[in-house]
Amino acid sequence: MIRTCLSTAAMLLAMLPSLANAQNSSRRIERVEQKDGRLEVVTNDGYYLITPYSNYIMETMFVPRGEAPDPRSHAVVLAPGRAKADLKAGDGGFQFSTQGISATVTREPFGISYSYKGTPLLAEQEGYTRRGAKESIGFALDADEALYGGGARALGMNRRGHRLPLYNKAHYGYGQRSEQMGFGMPLVLSSKMYMVHFDNPTTGFLDLDSKKDNVLSYEPSSGRKAYQVIAGDSWDQLAYEYTSLTGRQPLPPRWSLGNFASRFGYRSEAEARATVDKFIAEKVPLDAIVFDLYWFGPDMKGGMGNLAFDTANFPTPAKMMADFSAKGVKTVLITEPFVLNVSKRWQEAVDRKVLATDANGAPFRYDFFFGNTGLIDITSPVARNWFWDIYKGLVPLGVAGWWGDLGEPEVHPDATRHVGGTAAEVHNIYGHEWARLIHEGYRKDFPSQRPFILMRSGYSGSQRFGMIPWSGDVSRSWDGLKSQPEIALQMGMQGVAYMHSDLGGFAGALLDDELYVRWLQYGVFQPIFRPHAQEEVASEPVYRSPQALALAREAIRLRYRLLPYNYSAAFDNSQTGVPLMRPLMYEEPGNAKLQGVASSYLWGT
């Protein structure tokens, strides 16, 4: 046990970073205790737990008086204690330091700041505060630092000045700008070469100095008051340390780096067979075909939740997939978390208690675009086993990959109750837990297979489940194309390196061969090459004009010539967390002119 009264070293004050704009005069230190490798700072209104994870990562958790600490993290997998921290105490405060990262606490006024190898990083402004029902954790920022992160958005590379909702939400038909998408991650990166991860998946806001007062603020709706500060000497090292903390992307199957045939959607086995044969006849390389919702029903509405082949239109699914496999083409099926009340599995889902409930414990039913529905409770062990059993039954038929759609969830009423908590507590980790279900199912039942898990929504650390995210229903427009590099670059910086777009654009009936070809050419240097669109305009190059087909074929063949390089970059990502698409500032971190550049980027490592 070490208490602050044990030393009065006056030299401490000279060591502390300035806290002039980072203070809380109402918070007073009552006791400081070092034990089990971490520091406990007891104050008049609660206590702080400061825990080093390594020489580059420090976690701080505040527990208000009267509350118990919540040890659960959906993001963190690294065990703490990989670095020893020393405590130096004096009259003005104390410093808790590893060989790299340090936390400094002052007494009057109370404040916490962080430094790395002696260089100041950031400081709590008021720290944790509660005003009425509003909770927040605030930090003082330097006036000139650029900020990145917050998940998937299209706002410009430097996201400082924005107030970001932390609520995963689809944005249909977006173009050059989107403030809210399927990944609302509570993660901030700074041009000063540090990251802050707020370790709480509940809904809320991440304010990146929207008031222009040099304040970063995290405002959760409830839950943990915990965050990790990650520091490093380079952007590559930040990626390495963050993915050490939250997990690294497993190496995806090699075929997933090839070309996909995908549309909304193939309505029959005959149509799918004809499409694969068309690729072969036109000498366009193809590695996979993706089936949208018509595989389990003939209509857009009414079949969701069936999760079994519609044998009227797909009479021999196992043979079809075997025939595709013999031609070198894998099969990917869409699934959704909604079970309509008219689907073939509705009563089974009700009887098995698979669905999220209302306040009375009955299945919560509501209307959305596809019909009246219930939502699979992805946090329930019973529901997870039920859902995985469906996947497990389809894999032996020949399914090689899975597409998880609408996983924000797209419609998720606030009154929904889950085994794992309220809708606000579960919403942002729904897609994350869904990917985990499939990932863990494969490790248990099909350990020799690398799963392909295409998802539209997730959370911090979702990359460790092999999630392959895409940027949602982007408009088929030049504005839609323009936003894609920024989205992919930002997500790669946040550990999710396989963010990609529906090549050619998804929403709208615009027939523009130049736009289509340019998008596919961009896709050559994107983690996943998957043209996809609504069926009004063909997404497959083999159904476009001869001129578009010729240029698309050339781009796709270039993609295949790059496959050894791309596969090596994918391996590097699985080992280090460094993204496949990297901002130019990765190579020149001191060049302020590159901090906002997304129109150009580096490909590979």
Side-chain angles (χ1 to χ4, degrees):
M1 180 184 297
I2 299 177
R3 300 182 185 276
T4 55
C5 61
L6 296 182
S7 173
T8 58
M11 62 179 292
L12 174 69
L13 294 179
M15 298 166 55
L16 307 184
S18 173
L19 294 174
N21 296 314
Q23 57 191 32
N24 188 329
S25 59
S26 65
R27 185 164 290 138
R28 299 182 305 278
I29 296 175
E30 296 181 350
R31 188 180 77 253
V32 177
E33 189 173 321
Q34 186 180 10
K35 59 182 179 181
D36 299 327
R38 66 184 184 183
L39 197 66
E40 182 176 318
V41 182
V42 180
T43 65
N44 58 303
D45 58 347
Y47 62 93
Y48 284 85
L49 297 174
I50 303 177
T51 306
Y53 276 76
S54 71
N55 288 324
Y56 309 94
I57 304 170
M58 188 83 78
E59 177 182 271
T60 297
M61 177 190 295
F62 181 73
V63 183
R65 181 156 289 177
E67 296 186 15
D70 182 355
R72 297 175 301 167
S73 174
H74 295 277
V76 171
V77 293
L78 183 68
R82 297 193 175 201
K84 183 179 181 296
D86 296 320
L87 182 64
K88 296 180 181 180
D91 288 340
F94 50 89
Q95 191 171 52
F96 193 52
S97 303
T98 70
Q99 293 180 5
I101 197 165
S102 300
T104 299
V105 184
T106 53
R107 288 177 175 275
E108 294 181 2
F110 178 88
I112 302 180
S113 66
Y114 302 89
S115 60
Y116 175 65
K117 295 182 179 179
T119 300
L121 298 177
L122 80 165
E124 287 193 0
Q125 195 207 36
E126 289 186 281
Y128 169 76
T129 61
R130 182 172 191 135
R131 295 178 174 90
K134 181 182 177 181
E135 297 180 294
S136 67
I137 304 174
F139 295 85
L141 296 169
D142 287 353
D144 59 349
E145 62 185 297
L147 300 178
Y148 312 91
R153 326 265 175 174
L155 301 169
M157 278 296 283
N158 184 358
R159 294 177 173 178
R160 186 164 181 167
H162 293 278
R163 179 174 167 82
L164 308 178
L166 295 174
Y167 187 87
N168 293 351
K169 185 177 181 180
H171 184 172
Y172 177 81
Y174 70 92
Q176 190 169 331
R177 183 179 179 85
S178 180
E179 297 186 3
Q180 200 168 2
M181 300 177 71
F183 288 78
M185 293 158 63
L187 177 64
V188 181
L189 301 89
S190 167
S191 57
K192 290 176 63 178
M193 214 62 71
Y194 70 82
M195 304 171 74
V196 185
H197 175 248
F198 298 98
D199 197 357
N200 180 354
T202 59
T203 58
F205 289 90
L206 188 61
D207 194 310
L208 307 183
D209 192 26
S210 69
K211 297 178 182 178
K212 311 298 183 184
D213 55 359
N214 298 325
V215 173
L216 163 67
S217 179
Y218 170 64
E219 303 163 14
S221 58
S222 63
R224 308 174 83 220
K225 293 78 177 168
Y227 61 88
Q228 296 93 26
V229 178
I230 304 110
D233 299 308
S234 66
W235 288 109
D236 283 356
Q237 187 179 8
L238 275 184
Y240 182 91
E241 301 302 335
Y242 173 72
T243 54
S244 295
L245 181 71
T246 62
R248 296 208 172 96
Q249 179 99 21
L251 185 65
R254 189 173 183 272
W255 60 263
S256 68
L257 299 178
N259 180 35
F260 288 70
S262 182
R263 70 160 71 168
F264 182 24
Y266 301 110
R267 294 175 178 266
S268 68
E269 181 176 327
E271 184 180 24
R273 287 179 177 275
T275 298
V276 170
D277 289 343
K278 182 75 169 170
F279 272 88
I280 295 170
E282 296 289 354
K283 296 181 171 55
V284 177
L286 182 67
D287 264 288
I289 182 169
V290 183
F291 287 87
D292 213 312
L293 51 77
Y294 297 119
W295 74 271
F296 52 68
D299 302 309
M300 188 183 301
K301 299 181 180 182
M304 193 170 289
N306 287 344
L307 297 173
F309 274 99
D310 170 28
T311 54
N313 290 296
F314 295 87
T316 59
K319 186 176 188 306
M320 176 189 72
M321 290 186 283
D323 291 344
F324 288 165
S325 182
K327 297 173 181 179
V329 177
K330 306 294 185 182
T331 300
V332 178
L333 298 183
I334 195 172
T335 56
E336 300 92 353
F338 299 97
V339 182
L340 300 186
N341 69 333
V342 294
S343 74
K344 296 175 181 177
R345 293 188 189 267
W346 170 258
Q347 195 56 50
E348 175 188 345
V350 172
D351 293 342
R352 296 276 298 274
K353 300 187 183 303
V354 165
L355 305 173
T357 65
D358 60 21
N360 298 316
F364 193 101
R365 291 172 53 175
Y366 51 93
D367 294 325
F368 78 139
F369 177 79
F370 295 96
N372 185 266
T373 193
L375 174 67
I376 297 171
D377 184 358
I378 206 71
T379 69
S380 161
V382 170
R384 293 173 70 86
N385 289 337
W386 177 86
F387 208 6
W388 173 246
D389 282 345
I390 294 172
Y391 288 116
K392 186 168 66 173
L394 287 163
V395 170
L397 296 182
V399 181
W402 299 101
W403 171 10
D405 199 12
L406 315 182
E408 291 76 22
E410 182 163 291
V411 181
H412 195 194
D414 291 343
T416 312
R417 304 287 182 91
H418 297 268
V419 169
T422 65
E425 293 168 332
V426 168
H427 183 82
N428 288 335
I429 54 168
Y430 194 97
H432 179 84
E433 288 298 307
W434 189 5
R436 180 167 76 92
L437 179 154
I438 299 174
H439 173 76
E440 291 180 350
Y442 268 83
R443 291 183 65 182
K444 175 178 175 289
D445 293 314
F446 308 105
S448 64
Q449 296 186 37
R450 296 187 218 164
F452 176 80
I453 307 172
L454 182 68
M455 290 272 176
R456 195 172 73 179
S457 183
Y459 177 64
S460 310
S462 289
Q463 70 275 354
R464 68 178 180 267
F465 304 131
M467 181 186 284
I468 306 291
W470 91 99
S471 59
D473 296 339
V474 59
S475 70
R476 201 176 335 213
S477 67
W478 290 100
D479 278 351
L481 172 58
K482 186 174 182 178
S483 62
Q484 297 312 305
E486 176 202 337
I487 295 169
L489 289 168
Q490 289 270 355
M491 288 295 283
M493 293 172 69
Q494 298 170 77
V496 187
Y498 287 86
M499 173 60 79
H500 67 286
S501 62
D502 289 342
L503 298 181
F506 176 81
L510 177 66
L511 178 58
D512 183 331
D513 278 345
E514 183 178 359
L515 170 65
Y516 175 78
V517 168
R518 293 299 187 189
W519 210 318
L520 266 62
Q521 289 170 339
Y522 157 67
V524 172
F525 304 98
Q526 187 188 246
I528 300 294
F529 193 97
R530 187 184 54 83
H532 180 70
Q534 292 171 325
E535 58 189 336
E536 290 88 350
V537 176
S539 59
E540 305 94 338
V542 295
Y543 294 125
R544 303 295 291 240
S545 69
Q547 296 84 357
L549 170 58
L551 290 169
R553 183 191 291 114
E554 184 178 341
I556 292 168
R557 288 178 175 176
L558 175 58
R559 174 75 179 188
Y560 278 84
R561 290 199 297 274
L562 286 168
L563 186 55
Y565 179 84
N566 295 347
Y567 197 55
S568 295
F571 177 78
D572 289 344
N573 169 260
S574 73
Q575 301 301 301
T576 68
V578 175
L580 287 75
M581 290 176 64
R582 298 184 297 137
L584 296 180
M585 63 185 179
Y586 265 49
E587 292 301 312
E588 297 184 48
N591 187 344
K593 294 180 180 179
L594 299 180
Q595 291 176 356
V597 174
S599 57
S600 301
Y601 58 90
L602 303 163
W603 174 249
T605 57

